[in-house]
Amino acid sequence: MVFGDKRAAAPPPSAEVIQELASSTHFSVAELQSLAQRFAQLDRDADGLVDAEEVCEMAEVAMYPLLRRVVCRYDEDKSGAINYTEFCRALSTLSAKATLGEKLRFAFTLYDVNGNGFISPDEMFDVFRLMSPRHYTDDALLQIVTAFLSEYP
């Protein structure tokens, strides 16, 4: 909390929530308590939620071009913001401790925007557009997607 800030902070996560996350993520209890403090700093309005813009303020993850998509992926109620539990699950997936299988499943869900179990050329194009430098034209990206899909149908 900033000096002089009179807003009430959202309550910290319970010991039960911390224990459940410690058993289901790649974080220790101490790391989760530290993340709770970081989450509280990001939660400017103290409503227990942070939106993608607030998460992007974290230097540790700001360099991920798909970060907004990650937040959307973990936003279970589709409110446009994530709670502490969703925040920890998202960061766990991005951590170096995540397994290759977890990262592959997660990457697939980033591409499979409509959640139908398949990645369409349009979905792939959208993700490539997010990840590629702006010096590629849409036509050039479309050629890349087409070449990729012909190599890996």
Side-chain angles (χ1 to χ4, degrees), residues 5-141:
D5 188 357
K6 300 291 186 209
R7 71 179 171 93
S14 68
E16 293 80 24
V17 167
I18 296 280
Q19 284 301 323
E20 189 277 322
L21 286 169
S23 67
S24 64
T25 67
H26 296 287
F27 296 121
S28 67
V29 168
E31 290 169 322
L32 289 163
Q33 290 167 336
S34 177
L35 284 173
Q37 292 173 352
R38 186 68 172 118
F39 184 85
Q41 291 170 347
L42 293 171
D43 182 13
R44 286 187 236 129
D45 58 2
D47 65 352
L49 301 169
V50 295
D51 62 25
E53 293 305 316
E54 292 169 318
V55 175
C56 287
E57 293 176 8
M58 289 181 65
E60 304 93 304
V61 294
M63 74 288 232
Y64 288 104
L66 295 173
L67 187 58
R68 282 176 181 75
R69 199 108 166 198
V70 171
V71 171
C72 289
R73 155 67 171 81
Y74 281 94
D75 178 12
E76 293 173 7
D77 65 0
K78 305 302 179 211
S79 65
I82 56 175
N83 62 32
Y84 171 74
T85 299
E86 294 164 335
F87 175 77
C88 291
R89 292 190 193 290
L91 292 180
S92 180
T93 301
L94 297 174
S95 79
K97 297 176 188 175
T99 67
L100 179 59
E102 289 170 321
K103 289 180 180 186
L104 289 172
R105 278 188 299 282
F106 174 71
F108 185 86
T109 64
L110 291 180
Y111 282 87
D112 182 19
V113 177
N114 64 12
N116 68 354
F118 298 94
I119 300 171
S120 73
D122 289 340
E123 290 170 320
M124 185 171 283
F125 176 84
D126 290 342
V127 173
F128 279 24
R129 168 53 66 212
L130 288 172
M131 294 187 317
S132 65
R134 293 292 174 208
H135 68 267
Y136 286 114
T137 65
D138 285 353
D139 287 338
L141 276 178

Side-chain angles (χ1 to χ4, degrees), residues 120-122 124-125 128 140-150:
S120 73
D122 289 340
M124 185 171 283
F125 176 84
F128 279 24
L141 276 178
L142 189 54
Q143 288 176 357
I144 293 168
V145 168
T146 302
F148 184 86
L149 290 174
S150 68

